[in-house]
Amino acid sequence: MKSLFMGTPDFAAKALISLSKCTDVVGVVTQGDKPKGRGYTLTPPPVKVCAESLGLSVYQPDKVRGDEFAALLSELSPELILVAAYGKILPENVLSFPTYGCINIHASLLPKYRGAAPIQRAIMDGERETGVTFMYMDAGLDTGDMIFSRRVPIEDADDFGTIHDKLAEAGADGVYELVAGLESGALTRTPQPNDGATYAAKIENADMALDFSKSADEVSRKIRALSPMPLAYTHTKNGKLLKIISCAVAEGSENNGAGENNGAGKAGEILSLSGGRVRVKCGRGSIEILSCQPEGGRRMTAADLINGRRVALGDILSNEFVKSET
């Protein structure tokens, strides 16, 4: 089977490796190189790096609409187009081109969490399970017929990084099942039900701001959903940005208001600096910050934050005064 792969980030690279082992990949389409880091070094996307290591032809068109990309499709003549986090909407002439269809690997159990940030939203919402869904693409946003899904549990210690990697592996493993099923004709397609459909909107700056009036569990989930990047944030007493990398719900304080010092203090108040942890009051319960990144500084443990005297007992962590100034 001749296939064309379209994808950009690390999540997609693993699927490309699997596809290269079971089909003839005639080309890889990815987004353009982008400047990164303080030196703004032009950096290729992970899929380009992966494709070149496999000896595959790479294409980075500015747009996939119009005659130029249509001509490329005709030249490559793929029988299957497999898409994984490409990042651009595909026009009808691309969707309808391949014999075996244009198939997407979406990082959720559809119809839940259609859209740009399914992993982050699932963790924020307290889901105990997620997965990848292989689906035929149509003109809608992740609304096409489903082929099959692979489920992945979300454990208490999981964050965006760990779930991302588990889903990437699940997607890569599913590629073999997909290709075998397409070739044998054994796959079936199931229309997505409207009942239970949800939308996972792109993560905006406002989504990253911590609200300590929420329960300890909700605050913890947001921190995990945004770690290791882009990171949830708050501000210290002197107005400096503080990004939180990892935390734990303080023992005995899970949502019930119990626990030492938990009934006292304001939301966001630092209750304790003992044991190398920064304990912060939430609306119900409290969390313990384990690692963080202060404004203008490196990533560090909470113990380093304490030793550097960047926070003090009784300080209030908040974004409220920042809102009032903007």
Side-chain angles (χ1 to χ4, degrees), residues 252-284:
S253 75
E254 298 89 340
N255 291 326
N256 58 14
E260 182 183 358
N261 292 329
N262 196 63
K266 300 178 180 179
E269 183 174 344
I270 295 177
L271 302 176
S272 171
L273 297 173
S274 63
R277 298 184 175 196
V278 178
R279 183 166 176 170
V280 183
K281 175 77 167 61
C282 299
R284 293 198 308 275

Side-chain angles (χ1 to χ4, degrees), residues 119-132:
I119 303 175
Q120 296 95 327
R121 299 294 180 184
I123 298 173
M124 285 183 187
D125 290 348
E127 298 285 350
R128 305 306 300 174
E129 184 181 55
T130 184
V132 291

Side-chain angles (χ1 to χ4, degrees), residues 7-26:
T8 301
D10 285 317
F11 176 83
K14 290 183 181 295
L16 172 58
I17 294 171
S18 295
L19 189 68
S20 70
K21 293 179 179 179
C22 57
T23 70
D24 174 19
V25 180
V26 295

Side-chain angles (χ1 to χ4, degrees), residues 148-280:
F148 62 84
S149 298
R150 291 203 167 189
R151 296 176 179 271
V152 171
I154 300 177
E155 308 292 348
D156 290 340
D158 278 323
D159 60 17
F160 169 74
T162 60
I163 293 298
H164 170 279
D165 292 349
K166 291 176 185 180
L167 293 179
E169 290 291 347
D173 289 342
V175 170
Y176 300 108
E177 180 182 348
L178 174 72
V179 172
L182 289 172
E183 291 180 332
S184 68
L187 295 179
T188 58
R189 52 195 301 163
T190 304
Q192 288 191 45
N194 290 324
D195 290 345
T198 59
Y199 177 66
K202 178 183 176 181
I203 298 296
E204 304 288 354
N205 186 64
D207 297 309
M208 298 183 278
L210 289 171
D211 179 0
F212 288 106
S213 69
K214 303 288 187 181
S215 71
D217 188 52
E218 289 175 284
V219 173
S220 173
R221 293 200 309 258
K222 175 170 281 194
I223 290 169
R224 292 189 293 116
L226 300 173
S227 183
M229 60 179 299
L231 296 177
Y233 67 83
T234 186
H235 288 80
T236 58
K237 184 180 179 180
N238 61 2
K240 296 294 185 181
L241 184 70
L242 181 65
K243 296 182 178 181
I244 313 300
I245 300 169
S246 64
C247 72
V249 174
E251 187 176 351
S253 75
E254 298 89 340
N255 291 326
N256 58 14
E260 182 183 358
N261 292 329
N262 196 63
K266 300 178 180 179
E269 183 174 344
I270 295 177
L271 302 176
S272 171
L273 297 173
S274 63
R277 298 184 175 196
V278 178
R279 183 166 176 170
V280 183

Side-chain angles (χ1 to χ4, degrees), residues 70-90:
L72 177 63
L73 270 184
S74 296
E75 178 185 342
L76 298 176
S77 192
E79 298 167 282
L80 165 69
I81 296 178
L82 184 64
V83 182
Y86 174 53
K88 292 183 180 181
I89 296 175
L90 305 184

Side-chain angles (χ1 to χ4, degrees), residues 61-75:
D62 292 332
K63 58 183 180 179
V64 291
R65 297 178 182 273
D67 295 339
E68 188 174 346
F69 191 75
L72 177 63
L73 270 184
S74 296
E75 178 185 342

